[in-house]
């Protein structure tokens, strides 16, 4: 078969565009950090950074992620952002390739649209676990259904990445565990669409992530223990819903809880209670009040089951709608600044010089686009699934859409019910819905060659 001059020119042009994309896209993915002059920080960043230095466990702060940040300190954390940028683009292109949709122009166009219309580049530019929450959904999906379409090296990379992501945050681990559980339950119905080998590999990432976290906790604290804090965070959400005040009013006349003298002074929100200047500090924080909060959480579940169920459903519904970009990044974050000043003094000057620390970071205008795109994307997932159901079609893109929908619901349940609704928890996941919708639109309106793939 002869190759014409036009074909050679087309191949050369495609190679040129591929090279340009390989250089430009990783830089554009972390453009917010370049604009800022320093990696973006968030309220929780300091807690992760301190894990390497303080030698004890802190509620909801993964030591695995703390170690990951520590190894990027010498570069001003730009190594971490490079890892996050390249991992994001690797998983985007691998998803397109496994679903037989990879073309250079399509990959570049979808990547650029995600950068412009979603929180993705802000997540990739931030020293926080959130970027790994959404990416882990793609990596788990590819590990399960990839089969012969991925190499051994790619499977190994997907396994390590998913396990690491699971170890960075308990909510991410919970969502991945839920997806694996649903996968095993759906296996008798879907048959070869969900290979047993793939499901086994995906499930093993949860175990590996858990072992990774326990090992890191032991390495840094000397304790073989899970990261603490689950019941404390749930307590805050129940307090915010009024359940804790009701429990204390019902039980304080007969039982001597530490919080009884404060039952009429509880803050209005969980954030004020846990992170503000509240009686939580007066009573010794998690060390002094942790056992009591756990007791109240457990007993209030039994005492007010209907109230708890209603509050949980409301929180889940609200969490699905909380999708704005930038929560916790455009406010004063003295704890994170203090941790950097105490343990990484070489980073103080560039950190203080960044736009974020000079009050130049605002998300109001950005969210005028990001929020509608996120909400429309979730609606688009439902339309995509409804259309597939009506046509009795279960291809890989439909399976991915179902996976992302379940992940969004699971994330809303775990985060909304335990921590209470926050925009940060929605924004870190909902961009994956936009990715799936863009893939569907590209396939629907692409050229004949792409439709055939």
């Amino acid at each position: 078969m002869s190759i014409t001059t036009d074909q050679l020119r087309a191949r050369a042009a495609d190679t040129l565009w591929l090279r340009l994309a390989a250089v430009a896209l990783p830089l554009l993915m972390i453009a917010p950090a370049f604009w800022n002059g320093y990696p973006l920080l968030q309220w929780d960043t300091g807690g992760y950074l301190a894990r390497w230095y303080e030698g004890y466990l802190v509620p909801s702060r993964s030591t695995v992620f703390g170690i990951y940040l520590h190894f990027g300190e010498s570069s001003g954390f730009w190594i971490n952002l490079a890892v996050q940028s390249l991992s994001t683009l690797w998983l985007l292109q691998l998803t397109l390739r496994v679903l037989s949709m990879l073309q250079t122009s399509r990959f570049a166009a979808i990547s650029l649209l995600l950068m412009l219309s979603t929180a993705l580049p802000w997540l990739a530019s931030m020293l926080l676990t959130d970027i790994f929450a959404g990416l882990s959904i793609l990596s788990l999906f590819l590990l399960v259904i990839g089969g012969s379409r991925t190499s051994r090296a790619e499977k190994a990379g997907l396994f390590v990445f998913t396990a690491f992501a699971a170890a960075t945050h308990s909510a991410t681990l919970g969502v991945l565990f839920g997806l694996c559980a649903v996968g095993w339950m759906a296996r008798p119905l879907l048959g070869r669409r969900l290979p047993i080998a793939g499901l086994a590999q995906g499930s093993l990432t949860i175990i590996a992530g858990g072992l990774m976290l326990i090992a890191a906790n032991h390495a840094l604290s000397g304790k073989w223990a899970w990261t603490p804090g689950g019941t404390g965070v749930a307590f805050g959400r129940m307090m915010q819903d009024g359940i804790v005040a009701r429990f204390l009013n019902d039980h304080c006349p007969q039982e001597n809880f530490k919080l009884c003298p404060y039952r009429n002074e509880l803050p209005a929100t969980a954030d004020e209670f846990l992170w503000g200047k509240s009686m939580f500090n007066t009573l010794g924080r998690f060390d002094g009040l942790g056992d009591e909060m756990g007791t109240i959480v457990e007993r209030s579940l039994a005492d007010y089951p209907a109230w708890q169920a209603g509050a949980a459903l409301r929180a889940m519904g609200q969490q699905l709608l909380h999708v704005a970009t930038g929560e916790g990044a455009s406010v004063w974050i003295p704890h994170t600044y203090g941790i950097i000043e105490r343990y990484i003094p070489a980073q103080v000057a560039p950190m203080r010089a960044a736009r974020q620390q000079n009050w130049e970071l605002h998300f109001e205008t950005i969210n005028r686009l990001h929020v509608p795109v996120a909400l429309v994307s979730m609606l688009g997932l439902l339309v995509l699934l409804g259309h597939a159901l009506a046509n009795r079609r279960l291809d890989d893109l439909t399976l991915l859409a179902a996976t992302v929908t379940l992940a969004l619901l699971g994330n809303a349940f775990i985060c909304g019910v335990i921590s209470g609704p926050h925009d940060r928890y929605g924004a870190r996941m909902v961009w994956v819905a936009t990715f799936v919708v863009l893939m569907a639109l590209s396939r629907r309106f692409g050229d004949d060659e792409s439709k055939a793939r």
Side-chain angles (χ1 to χ4, degrees):
M1 181 178 178
S2 61
I3 300 177
T4 65
T5 302
D6 288 341
Q7 287 175 322
L8 289 172
R9 287 175 178 171
R11 290 183 182 180
D14 194 57
T15 300
L16 175 62
W17 281 111
L18 183 60
R19 290 174 178 173
L20 289 174
V23 173
L25 290 178
L27 298 177
L28 291 173
M29 185 61 72
I30 52 174
F34 288 125
W35 170 86
N36 186 50
Y38 192 76
L40 298 176
L41 305 174
Q42 203 260 4
W43 185 272
D44 292 348
T45 303
Y48 292 109
L49 286 171
R51 300 289 46 80
W52 177 268
Y53 298 97
E54 293 182 344
Y56 58 87
L57 304 181
V58 172
S60 302
R61 299 293 177 264
S62 165
T63 53
V64 171
F65 191 72
I67 293 171
Y68 160 78
L69 291 181
H70 174 71
F71 285 112
E73 288 177 11
S74 61
S75 70
F77 302 105
W78 290 104
I79 287 177
N80 301 100
L81 298 197
V83 169
Q84 291 167 194
S85 174
L86 294 173
S87 296
T88 300
L89 291 167
W90 172 57
L91 286 167
L92 293 181
Q93 69 83 24
L94 188 57
T95 302
L96 288 168
R97 200 196 80 202
V98 168
L99 271 63
S100 301
M101 295 179 62
L102 181 60
Q103 293 177 336
T104 302
S105 58
R106 173 181 283 150
F107 169 57
I110 289 178
S111 297
L112 289 171
L113 285 171
L114 287 173
M115 294 177 201
L116 292 171
S117 64
T118 74
L120 183 57
W122 299 91
L123 299 173
S125 298
M126 190 171 291
L127 301 180
L128 202 60
T129 63
D130 291 4
I131 183 63
F132 297 103
L135 291 177
S136 67
I137 305 308
L138 296 179
S139 63
L140 179 68
F141 175 81
L142 294 172
L143 191 61
V144 172
I145 66 99
S148 60
R149 290 170 284 179
T150 52
S151 67
R152 289 184 178 179
E154 287 169 336
K155 286 185 177 68
L158 290 168
F159 186 95
V160 172
F161 183 91
T162 309
F164 171 77
T168 63
H169 201 283
S170 295
T172 301
L173 187 147
V175 170
L176 296 176
F177 176 84
L179 289 175
C180 288
V182 172
W184 283 110
M185 289 187 287
R187 176 62 175 65
L189 297 175
L190 300 181
R192 289 180 294 177
R193 301 295 303 172
L194 289 177
I196 291 179
L199 283 171
Q201 291 170 14
S203 301
L204 285 173
T205 64
I206 311 301
I207 298 173
L211 293 175
M212 192 185 299
L213 182 59
I214 292 172
N217 286 349
H218 180 264
L220 296 187
S221 72
K223 298 179 180 179
W224 294 105
W226 195 260
T227 303
T231 55
V233 177
F235 176 92
R237 196 273 303 168
M238 294 181 187
M239 186 206 67
Q240 190 167 288
D241 289 331
I243 295 172
V244 171
R246 170 67 180 277
F247 179 90
L248 293 173
N249 285 330
D250 288 347
H251 292 273
C252 280
Q254 298 81 31
E255 301 179 66
N256 187 26
F257 289 103
K258 296 177 184 179
L259 282 168
C260 284
Y262 302 96
R263 65 183 184 272
N264 296 320
E265 305 170 21
L266 295 175
T269 68
D271 287 341
E272 290 178 65
F273 178 77
L274 293 172
W275 316 118
K277 297 179 180 179
S278 72
M279 66 286 301
F280 184 55
N281 294 333
T282 305
L283 296 173
R285 298 188 63 78
F286 288 100
D287 288 337
L289 204 56
D291 291 341
E292 180 169 306
M293 290 192 297
T295 298
I296 293 174
V297 167
E298 293 171 6
R299 291 179 57 183
S300 64
L301 286 169
D303 287 358
Y304 319 111
W307 190 356
Q308 292 278 14
L313 288 174
R314 284 193 301 274
M316 180 179 175
Q318 291 168 2
Q319 181 59 71
L320 285 170
L321 301 177
H322 279 65
V323 291
T325 299
E327 183 186 26
S330 57
V331 297
W332 185 244
I333 45 179
H335 179 257
T336 294
Y337 301 152
I339 292 297
I340 292 176
E341 291 170 354
R342 182 184 308 170
Y343 298 118
I344 323 171
Q347 293 297 315
V348 172
M351 181 267 290
R352 290 291 186 187
R355 293 176 184 268
Q356 182 184 18
Q357 279 62 255
N358 288 279
W359 301 101
E360 297 179 40
L361 183 60
H362 306 285
F363 291 94
E364 292 82 0
T365 301
I366 291 171
N367 279 319
R368 291 176 186 171
L369 173 64
H370 286 193
V371 171
V373 167
L375 297 177
V376 169
S377 296
M378 288 191 287
L379 181 61
L381 281 183
L382 297 179
V383 171
L384 183 60
L385 291 174
H387 183 265
L389 183 63
N391 289 275
R392 297 182 179 181
R393 186 187 68 215
L394 183 61
D395 57 8
D396 285 338
L397 185 59
T398 303
L399 194 57
L400 177 59
T403 300
V404 173
T405 301
L406 289 172
L408 289 172
L409 292 172
N411 179 71
F413 178 80
I414 292 171
C415 295
V417 172
I418 295 178
S419 300
H422 286 77
D423 283 304
R424 174 193 158 197
Y425 301 143
R428 70 186 183 188
M429 296 284 289
V430 74
W431 68 265
V432 189
T434 308
F435 176 47
V436 175
V437 171
L438 288 174
M439 290 175 66
L441 291 173
S442 174
R443 188 176 67 174
R444 174 68 177 83
F445 298 106
D447 56 31
D448 291 338
E449 181 182 352
S450 66
K451 289 178 184 179
R453 290 186 171 186

